[in-house]
Amino acid sequence: MRIAIDYEVYDITPDSFMIYRPGQALRIVDIQPGTKGAFILFTQWFIQSIQPALDTFFMDTFLHKRFGSQARISKADHRELSAIFDKIFDVLSSIHTERWAISAGSLITTLINETDLIIKRYDNASGRLSTNELAKINKYKRLAEEYFIEQRQVGFYAGKLNMSSSYLYRLFKKHKQDTPAAYLNTLLLQRAKYLLSSSENNIGEIADNLSFSDIFSFSKYFKKHTGFTPSDFRAKCSN
């Protein structure tokens, strides 16, 4: 799925850990069929009720705004985080006494601290995610969303950003994201799937809409990346 946080768009993949903070605007841009995940949301009132010094508490954790909104984590860390969340929420849901708020405060503080230890492993070498670098990546993504049908060469976007293609690739690698070319490819496949599943255009017209030279090159491209011919994919969606 793709999510916008304060108008910055992020690709949420199976290895993603997303951080959504109080006061931020969140919007789901696109979600693929069959997507599964979890949002764990706390109101600011709830956090303050268990930890009155909110800003001080957040200052040195992943919840502070100087950290990015997304981390790509390893499978091992994903399993560890999932186990921590599952156990703590199991305990929270099993408490039915008047001291629930006190117990909840201790458990949520533990949850934040343990999560912080894992997420901080994915900081860059300076100890903080570079907001300037992330801004460049997001600017590339916005340009890609605007021009991906007509322009599929990374050099075109690098030129608009006044940087070299190699530097752009290094930025994506540093922040553990797919390559710039892979991002363009994702956009193209998403549009192709959308047109095949929801439009009445024939496959030749769709190929033309996506700026392929002919139906054969589109079919070859689509099957290479999905395992289906466009016709098979459309039939699968209809069923």
Side-chain angles (χ1 to χ4, degrees):
M1 64 191 301
R2 305 179 71 216
I3 288 178
I5 300 177
D6 284 349
Y7 307 104
E8 298 292 349
V9 179
Y10 299 88
D11 290 312
I12 307 301
T13 57
D15 60 351
S16 290
F17 183 88
M18 188 190 74
I19 306 163
Y20 167 50
R21 300 173 177 87
Q24 290 187 309
L26 180 142
R27 177 171 61 92
I28 295 177
V29 177
D30 181 55
I31 183 167
Q32 294 295 310
T35 298
K36 295 181 179 181
F39 288 100
I40 309 298
L41 303 177
F42 305 105
T43 65
Q44 186 165 338
W45 173 88
F46 175 76
I47 296 294
Q48 286 178 321
S49 71
I50 64 174
Q51 182 54 256
L54 183 68
D55 290 337
T56 301
F57 181 59
F58 284 178
M59 186 63 69
D60 291 319
T61 73
F62 68 95
L63 295 171
H64 196 272
K65 287 186 178 179
R66 66 180 173 229
F67 291 89
S69 292
Q70 179 192 38
R72 296 286 179 84
I73 62 177
S74 68
K75 289 183 179 179
D77 285 338
H78 185 280
R79 287 194 297 269
E80 185 176 348
L81 272 177
S82 295
I84 292 170
F85 273 74
D86 287 345
K87 290 174 182 176
I88 285 179
F89 280 96
D90 281 346
V91 174
L92 282 172
S93 63
S94 66
I95 299 174
H96 304 285
T97 69
E98 67 276 8
R99 295 187 178 181
W100 184 90
I102 297 173
S103 300
S106 298
L107 288 168
I108 297 304
T109 300
T110 299
L111 178 68
I112 291 172
N113 285 331
E114 292 300 314
T115 303
D116 187 58
L117 290 173
I118 292 175
I119 297 303
K120 278 186 174 178
R121 299 172 190 169
Y122 298 90
D123 250 348
N124 62 21
S126 67
R128 296 289 180 264
L129 292 175
S130 167
T131 55
N132 182 50
E133 290 176 348
L134 289 173
K136 291 177 180 178
I137 290 173
N138 286 321
K139 189 171 183 180
Y140 167 82
K141 289 181 176 180
R142 287 195 294 271
L143 285 171
E145 290 164 15
E146 182 177 356
Y147 295 109
F148 74 92
I149 291 180
E150 297 85 10
Q151 299 290 342
R152 296 175 195 163
Q153 298 298 318
V154 173
F156 167 82
Y157 301 95
K160 279 190 165 291
L161 294 169
N162 296 314
M163 63 180 70
S164 67
S165 297
S166 59
Y167 175 73
L168 189 57
Y169 272 90
R170 287 198 301 273
L171 276 183
F172 272 67
K173 183 177 181 181
K174 179 178 180 180
H175 291 280
K176 299 180 174 64
Q177 302 201 30
D178 287 336
T179 66
Y183 186 74
L184 287 170
N185 194 51
T186 297
L187 293 175
L188 187 60
L189 283 172
Q190 286 176 345
R191 180 64 63 86
K193 289 177 181 179
Y194 172 77
L195 292 174
L196 288 168
S197 63
S198 62
S199 78
E200 296 182 357
N201 291 344
N202 62 47
I203 294 173
E205 290 170 331
I206 291 174
D208 185 59
N209 288 340
L210 295 174
S211 297
F212 282 88
S213 58
D214 52 54
I215 191 173
F216 302 106
S217 59
F218 171 59
S219 297
K220 182 180 179 181
Y221 167 85
F222 192 83
K223 185 170 184 180
K224 175 183 177 181
H225 292 285
T226 67
F228 295 97
T229 65
S231 298
D232 289 342
F233 181 83
R234 172 168 271 179
K236 182 173 179 286
C237 291
S238 297
N239 292 332

